[in-house]
Amino acid sequence: MAPQIRHRLDYHRGSVNSAIFDASGSYIFTGGQDKTIRLVNSTTGDLIQTYLGHGWGVQGIAVSKDSNSLASCGGTDRAVYLWDVSQAQLTRKLTGHSQHVDCVAISDNGSIIVGGSFDKTVRVWDTRSSNSPQALLQSLDESKDGISSLVLTQTEIIASSIDGHVRTYDIRTGRVLIESFGGQPVVCVRIVGGGKCLLVSSMDGSIQLVDRADGKAMAAFSGHICQSYRIQCDANDSLVASGSEDGLVYVWDVLRGDESGSAKYRLGGHSGIHRHVVHETSLPKPYRIVHQEEDGDDAEDADDMSWVNRGHEEKAKRRIRLKLTVDDRNQIQEVECG
């Protein structure tokens, strides 16, 4: 049975580019093409607060574990914004990127902010620093193309890139610890398996479970379509989910090995076992334009978009985001796609 829609939130004017829960799950932060961030009660669906200050559409948002600090990025602002959540006030504007900032991450206590940009760099700011107004700590420039996704842990920064690589950095030194893959553009990376694995989605229509220790693939998931859209994936300890260009959400059971359902899951294997699809949820096929001004004209020229120069113009302009929620019996409760 398809999950039921609990709330339909229509507080934005235009496309909604990002939506995340806070650590408690009690609140939802959404970022829209209307240049606003909205804070919503996830239980009632009521609008609590609106954050104003962006000059362009909001592309990415991240909230600290204590829910006191919010980081956001978007459009031609070419900056990361830091907000006081309770006061709905912009506290800092972190600059340094030369092109669109498309993804952002924040530490548990809100002191470290990371931005990923079309300028091929990952920039790290320490908001506790008093040495400079911008507090730029590091600039990581190993990528050969735009940064598509970021994960921040207490000791590492994990960045995926359209150049086909996932790079894990030591947050203290900025040194690359592991560089994996090297093929199709990587569009999404997530930490799963109790922090021991990465879930990596690429534009060749594959999702791979990767051992963080050595960067090797342990399993692969297929059946969905990912060729023209930047599609996000998500997982818990037993389910993997992804959006798809055919308008479906695919969910695989990692405890089942093949189409017959026999248990052939091998955690240490590197054979790329295809997992059985256990759910397909019919959803509309949403997309959003990430390089568009309010009047509909393209905001940037080709020189300002590394993906365009690599022939990925249409792929760079569309994204599907996915959030899957399951209960303690692994029954799907909510699917958000937008």
Side-chain angles (χ1 to χ4, degrees):
M1 183 177 68
Q4 300 299 307
I5 295 175
R6 181 178 297 179
H7 302 295
R8 190 178 298 276
L9 310 177
D10 57 358
Y11 301 117
H12 287 281
R13 293 182 295 105
S15 60
V16 180
N17 301 331
S18 187
I20 61 170
F21 285 96
D22 74 337
S24 71
S26 301
Y27 301 98
I28 301 171
F29 294 88
T30 61
Q33 197 63 25
D34 60 2
K35 312 175 188 177
T36 70
I37 300 168
R38 312 279 181 164
L39 173 60
V40 178
N41 185 302
S42 63
T43 301
T44 64
D46 294 335
L47 177 65
I48 298 173
Q49 189 61 265
T50 299
Y51 300 80
L52 301 172
H54 273 278
W56 303 84
V58 180
Q59 312 293 7
I61 48 179
V63 63
S64 60
K65 190 172 183 179
D66 58 15
S67 296
N68 290 329
S69 300
L70 177 72
S72 61
C73 62
T76 317
D77 290 324
R78 303 180 184 181
V80 173
Y81 289 62
L82 184 62
W83 307 82
D84 182 301
V85 172
S86 61
Q87 300 297 320
Q89 292 183 347
L90 179 65
T91 59
R92 303 189 81 159
K93 187 176 179 180
L94 306 171
T95 60
H97 283 295
S98 61
Q99 296 185 27
H100 288 77
V101 185
D102 204 47
C103 50
V104 66
I106 188 170
S107 62
D108 288 350
N109 63 3
S111 62
I112 301 296
I113 312 294
V114 183
S117 171
F118 280 19
D119 66 9
K120 311 176 189 178
T121 70
V122 174
R123 294 184 183 265
V124 186
W125 295 273
D126 184 350
T127 61
R128 298 166 298 186
S129 172
S130 59
N131 295 332
S132 97
Q134 304 307 331
L136 182 63
L137 188 64
Q138 295 173 349
S139 180
L140 312 174
D141 58 2
E142 285 75 16
S143 178
K144 302 301 187 292
D145 212 322
I147 307 300
S148 58
S149 182
L150 288 170
V151 175
L152 178 62
T153 73
Q154 291 185 345
T155 59
E156 296 172 333
I157 299 169
I158 303 170
S160 66
S161 172
I162 300 302
D163 68 7
H165 292 270
V166 176
R167 297 175 177 87
T168 300
Y169 296 89
D170 185 319
I171 195 172
R172 297 162 298 181
T173 66
R175 182 171 61 91
V176 177
L177 301 176
I178 299 175
E179 182 172 316
S180 53
F181 294 89
Q184 291 290 320
V186 179
V187 294
C188 183
V189 61
R190 294 282 185 268
I191 291 182
V192 296
K196 297 180 179 179
C197 306
L198 294 179
L199 193 68
V200 181
S201 177
S202 302
M203 273 188 167
D204 60 358
S206 70
I207 297 175
Q208 297 186 62
L209 188 66
V210 178
D211 190 331
R212 288 188 65 196
D214 56 18
K216 294 182 178 179
M218 301 161 55
F221 307 89
S222 65
H224 68 299
I225 302 172
C226 180
Q227 296 175 341
S228 300
Y229 291 73
R230 295 173 56 199
I231 299 175
Q232 287 199 340
C233 57
D234 208 347
N236 63 8
D237 290 338
S238 59
L239 296 176
V240 171
S242 175
S244 176
E245 292 175 25
D246 58 9
L248 302 175
V249 173
Y250 287 77
V251 183
W252 297 267
D253 185 344
V254 301
L255 302 180
R256 301 177 64 175
D258 58 15
E259 293 298 324
S260 67
S262 58
K264 292 185 178 181
Y265 179 63
R266 294 177 293 172
L267 185 62
H270 304 294
S271 58
I273 306 167
H274 295 294
R275 303 299 176 207
H276 179 59
V277 177
V278 295
H279 295 284
E280 293 183 3
T281 303
S282 180
L283 291 172
K285 185 166 71 175
Y287 67 93
R288 56 105 169 170
I289 304 298
V290 300
H291 295 302
Q292 195 171 68
E293 305 235 22
E294 291 302 311
D295 60 4
D297 294 329
D298 287 342
E300 302 297 326
D301 56 30
D303 292 336
D304 199 31
M305 294 163 53
S306 57
W307 294 357
V308 173
N309 298 335
R310 288 173 53 90
H312 295 301
E313 179 174 8
E314 290 306 314
K315 296 179 182 181
K317 286 184 177 180
R318 292 174 279 183
R319 171 189 296 172
I320 293 176
R321 292 186 177 274
L322 174 71
K323 173 69 178 181
L324 178 74
T325 303
V326 297
D327 61 18
D328 54 6
R329 295 176 298 173
N330 283 324
Q331 299 298 309
I332 296 177
Q333 299 298 303
E334 291 183 86
V335 175
E336 298 177 17
C337 191

